[in-house]
Amino acid sequence: MNPPDLSTPEGRAAYRAELRKVAQPARLTGMALVVVGAILSLGAYPNWVITLGWICFGAGWVALAVALVQRNRYHRRRISGG
C-alpha cells in the first residue's frame, strides 16, 4: 500500500474522503445506539426500558471507540506505507 499524496489539495481531499469511509458502519451504528439509548434513558418509561436505554448507550460508545481505533490503525498503516 503506497502512502497517500498529501502534497496537493486534491490529494488531501481524496485522503480525507478515504478516511471517512473507514469503519463507517461502526460509526453510524454507534451513533444511532447512543441516540436511542439517550432517548430511552431520559424518558418516563418502566425500569426495564430505562435499563435497555443505558445498555444501548454503553454499546453505542463501545462501537464508536472501536471505530476510532480502526480508523487510527488504518491511518497509521497507510501513512507508513505498509
Side-chain angles (χ1 to χ4, degrees), residues 36-51 53:
V36 168
I39 290 170
L40 292 178
S41 298
L42 296 177
Y45 300 113
N47 284 341
W48 69 271
V49 176
I50 294 173
T51 303

Side-chain angles (χ1 to χ4, degrees), residues 8-75:
T8 64
E10 293 84 14
R12 286 189 296 272
Y15 185 59
R16 232 178 276 125
E18 179 183 337
L19 275 181
R20 267 190 226 112
K21 294 177 185 173
V22 175
Q24 188 176 24
R27 284 197 324 263
L28 293 176
T29 301
M31 198 62 190
L33 283 171
V34 166
V35 170
V36 168
I39 290 170
L40 292 178
S41 298
L42 296 177
Y45 300 113
N47 284 341
W48 69 271
V49 176
I50 294 173
T51 303
L52 180 65
W54 280 106
I55 291 170
C56 287
F57 193 72
W61 278 110
V62 168
L64 287 172
V66 166
L68 180 98
V69 168
Q70 286 178 344
R71 185 174 182 260
N72 284 338
R73 288 180 66 203
Y74 178 85
H75 171 69

